[in-house]
C-alpha cells in the first residue's frame, strides 16, 4: 500500500514556542515547538506512529514578505540595488555574526528575485485613522534558502541605498568581500515585525503517489 502525503499550511503565534523543529527534550506532557504540537495533534487523530514530518520555516525555501513603512525614497536607486543583489552571491556579510567557536556554515545563496510594490497595512485600515496618511511597501524576496537574518539585512541595505545613506559601491563591497564582520554600519537591520513566509514552492513530483508518473519531473 502506498504511503499518503499531506501538506499542512500552519500559521501560529510563536511567542510561547521554541522554533519549528521538535526539540530533543520534548515529551508529550510538555511540547515547546511547532513540530511537537503538530505531532501531538496528529497522534490524537490517529494513534499510530507518524512516519515523517517535514517543515519549512522562515529560514527555509520560499518567498518572504516584509511590510515596511518608509519615508520618501529614490525608486530608481532602489531598483538598481535589487538587481545587484539578485543571483548567486556569497552573502556572508548579510548573515548574523556567529558565536565564538561555532563551525562556519556555507554562505553561498541565490536570490531569484526582489520586488518592491505598494502595499497595505497588516491590520484593518479603519482601526487607525493615521493609516490613510501613510504609504506602505511590500518587499518580497524569493530564494531557495536564506541565512539567519539575511532577508532583514537585505531589506536594510535596500532602504539604505534608496534613502542615500549607502551607494551601490557600498553594496558591491559587501558582496566582493564576504565576511560576517563586514557589515556596513550605515545600513540598519530591518525589524522582524512585518516579516513572514509568503509562499513555499515544491516541485510537482513531491506530491505524486507511488507508481504515479503524472507528477514526475521530465528526464534530462
Amino acid at each position: 500500500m502506498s504511503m499518503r502525503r499531506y501538506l499542512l499550511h500552519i500559521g501560529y503565534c510563536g511567542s510561547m514556542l521554541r522554533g519549528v523543529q521538535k526539540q530533543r527534550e520534548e515529551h508529550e506532557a510538555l511540547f515547546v515547538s511547532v513540530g511537537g504540537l503538530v505531532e501531538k495533534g496528529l497522534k490524537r487523530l490517529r494513534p499510530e506512529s507518524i512516519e515523517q514530518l517535514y517543515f519549512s520555516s522562515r529560514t527555509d525555501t520560499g518567498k518572504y514578505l516584509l511590510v515596511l513603512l518608509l519615508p520618501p525614497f529614490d525608486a530608481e536607486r532602489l531598483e538598481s540595488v535589487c538587481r545587484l543583489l539578485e543571483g548567486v552571491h556569497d552573502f556572508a556579510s548579510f548573515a548574523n555574526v556567529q558565536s565564538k567557536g561555532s563551525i562556519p556554515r556555507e554562505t553561498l545563496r541565490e536570490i531569484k528575485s526582489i520586488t518592491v510594490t505598494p502595499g497595505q497595512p497588516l491590520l484593518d485600515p479603519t482601526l487607525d485613522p493615521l493609516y490613510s496618511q501613510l504609504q506602505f511597501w511590500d518587499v518580497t524576496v524569493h530564494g531557495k534558502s536564506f541565512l539567519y537574518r539575511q532577508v532583514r539585512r537585505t531589506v536594510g541595505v535596500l532602504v539604505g541605498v534608496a534613502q542615500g545613506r549607502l551607494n551601490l559601491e557600498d553594496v558591491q563591497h559587501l558582496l566582493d568581500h564576504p565576511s560576517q564582520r563586514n557589515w556596513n554600519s550605515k545600513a540598519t537591520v530591518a525589524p522582524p515585525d512585518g516579516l513572514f513566509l509568503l509562499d513555499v514552492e515544491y516541485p510537482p513530483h513531491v506530491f505524486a503517489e507511488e507508481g504515479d508518473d503524472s507528477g514526475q519531473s521530465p528526464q534530462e
Side-chain angles (χ1 to χ4, degrees):
M1 183 176 64
S2 62
M3 179 180 64
R4 291 185 177 274
R5 299 177 181 179
Y6 298 91
L7 174 64
L8 302 178
H9 288 277
I10 302 172
Y12 61 93
C13 177
S15 57
M16 301 297 292
L17 301 172
R18 298 180 184 175
V20 173
Q21 295 296 334
K22 183 180 177 181
Q23 307 298 313
R24 291 183 178 180
E25 67 274 13
E26 285 188 83
H27 51 82
E28 291 195 9
L30 179 62
F31 282 104
V32 294
S33 69
V34 176
L37 291 174
V38 170
E39 182 176 312
K40 180 179 180 180
L42 291 176
K43 286 184 176 180
R44 285 185 176 180
L45 294 175
R46 189 168 185 176
E48 289 85 352
S49 61
I50 306 300
E51 291 291 338
Q52 187 68 51
L53 294 176
Y54 297 95
F55 289 93
S56 289
S57 63
R58 282 195 343 184
T59 53
D60 294 334
T61 303
K63 295 181 180 178
Y64 300 85
L65 182 67
L66 187 65
V67 180
L68 295 177
L69 175 61
L70 299 176
F73 60 87
D74 189 325
E76 185 175 341
R77 289 168 59 89
L78 182 62
E79 177 71 17
S80 298
V81 71
C82 286
R83 303 292 80 79
L84 178 61
L85 291 172
E86 290 175 347
V88 179
H89 303 285
D90 188 332
F91 284 98
S93 300
F94 292 76
N96 195 52
V97 177
Q98 294 179 334
S99 59
K100 186 177 181 180
S102 60
I103 301 175
R105 67 173 66 184
E106 173 59 52
T107 53
L108 199 67
R109 294 291 188 273
E110 178 185 9
I111 291 182
K112 295 183 178 180
S113 65
I114 302 176
T115 58
V116 182
T117 56
Q120 296 290 332
L122 296 179
L123 297 177
D124 188 340
T126 60
L127 297 177
D128 192 330
L130 290 178
Y131 280 159
S132 61
Q133 304 176 30
L134 303 175
Q135 187 173 19
F136 291 81
W137 295 89
D138 293 341
V139 181
T140 305
V141 184
H142 182 196
K144 182 178 180 180
S145 63
F146 300 95
L147 302 170
Y148 181 55
R149 289 192 179 177
Q150 179 188 341
V151 173
R152 290 172 55 194
R153 289 192 173 211
T154 297
V155 174
V157 167
L158 299 183
V159 175
V161 172
Q163 294 180 341
R165 290 182 282 107
L166 297 171
N167 54 45
L168 294 180
E169 288 72 21
D170 294 326
V171 181
Q172 190 65 58
H173 180 80
L174 294 174
L175 298 175
D176 292 341
H177 302 84
S179 170
Q180 291 180 316
R181 302 188 183 278
N182 191 34
W183 181 246
N184 193 315
S185 60
K186 296 179 182 179
T188 58
V189 180
D193 307 70
L195 177 65
F196 63 91
L197 178 61
L198 178 64
D199 189 22
V200 178
E201 300 174 343
Y202 294 95
H205 70 271
V206 171
F207 302 105
E209 296 285 351
E210 292 185 8
D212 179 10
D213 296 331
S214 61
Q216 296 293 331
S217 299
Q219 297 293 325
E220 295 183 355

